[in-house]
Amino acid sequence: MDEFVFVSGRLCLDLVGTKLWRRSLRTELLTSPSDVSHWIRQAGLLDDPGPMDTRGWERVRRLREAICTLVRSWPPGDPSDAGLRDALAEVNEAARLPLLRHQLDVSGRLTRTGGVDEVLGAVARDAVDLLSSAQLGKTKECANPDCTRLFVDVSRSGARRWCGMAECGNKHKAASYRMRKKQQAVMET
């Protein structure tokens, strides 16, 4: 079951990307606690996240929205903005949670263990790192007018436009091609 896309270049932005089309359809990909468990596994955070309870599911979604708020409005223009202060408090609180546990066995196999606190901590620390780094200046929103996915543009030219080619880039290129063909056909008649 691989329904999640990891194209943002940052763990925290990939979590933000679990809510799509924020300006229009508002498609929620984390519709249940089991969806969060699947995302955690696909993100490579834990080998076996186990069952997620409703409280954990709500905490993950709340952190996701706090990160989205901060990334879209950082640095804060109005430090008295209560929404921004609440989002910052949410991220900072989660960033203080325990670390994921990584261990090697004698064969060199990595095991990743922890629970929802450790996952929240990892995602929040990634957000803090992004917000305090030069990569924040390279953070963009997909050029697809319907898509609201955020990504870090680390391309050499800094000209990346799409969250991902499979998600939005190819769709735009195909639509442009069809439009050119249609215009060409009109001109030839």
Side-chain angles (χ1 to χ4, degrees):
M1 177 185 252
D2 289 340
E3 67 270 357
F4 298 106
V5 177
F6 297 87
V7 295
S8 300
R10 293 302 291 243
L11 177 64
C12 63
L13 297 181
D14 285 328
L15 178 61
V16 169
T18 61
K19 187 169 188 179
L20 304 173
W21 320 107
R22 289 173 180 265
R23 283 188 289 276
S24 56
L25 301 174
R26 291 184 181 89
T27 304
E28 175 64 69
L29 300 181
L30 301 179
T31 60
S32 70
S34 66
D35 290 338
V36 174
S37 293
H38 291 304
W39 183 85
I40 291 168
R41 185 177 294 108
Q42 289 176 24
L45 292 172
L46 299 174
D47 294 332
D48 181 16
M52 174 73 57
D53 64 10
T54 302
R55 185 173 177 272
W57 171 53
E58 290 168 353
R59 290 174 65 201
V60 169
R61 290 176 17 153
R62 194 170 56 242
L63 178 62
R64 175 192 66 193
E65 295 310 305
I67 292 168
C68 184
T69 297
L70 291 175
V71 171
R72 290 181 182 280
S73 57
W74 197 261
D78 179 7
S80 67
D81 181 333
L84 255 162
R85 282 196 329 265
D86 290 347
L88 185 58
E90 181 82 29
V91 169
N92 281 334
E93 182 179 323
R96 291 188 290 271
L97 291 169
L99 296 171
L100 294 164
R101 292 178 294 283
H102 289 192
Q103 304 230 329
L104 289 173
D105 65 19
V106 292
S107 68
R109 190 175 136 249
L110 171 67
T111 57
R112 297 167 294 216
T113 60
V116 70
D117 280 352
E118 289 80 5
V119 168
L120 291 169
V123 173
R125 280 188 290 281
D126 185 58
V128 167
D129 183 61
L130 174 62
L131 292 167
S132 63
S133 75
Q135 276 196 337
L136 182 64
K138 297 177 180 183
T139 301
K140 298 179 178 179
E141 186 175 281
C142 183
N144 177 342
D146 295 322
C147 183
T148 55
R149 190 182 303 267
L150 300 168
F151 63 89
V152 177
D153 180 1
V154 292
S155 66
R156 189 179 313 199
S157 66
R160 179 176 164 192
R161 298 179 56 206
W162 314 108
C163 62
M165 289 308 292
E167 292 285 309
C168 292
N170 286 340
K171 291 176 185 174
H172 175 76
K173 286 183 176 190
S176 294
Y177 176 78
R178 286 191 302 273
M179 181 62 79
R180 283 193 309 275
K181 284 297 194 186
K182 185 177 179 179
Q183 289 172 345
Q184 188 177 36
V186 168
M187 291 172 63
E188 290 174 356
T189 55

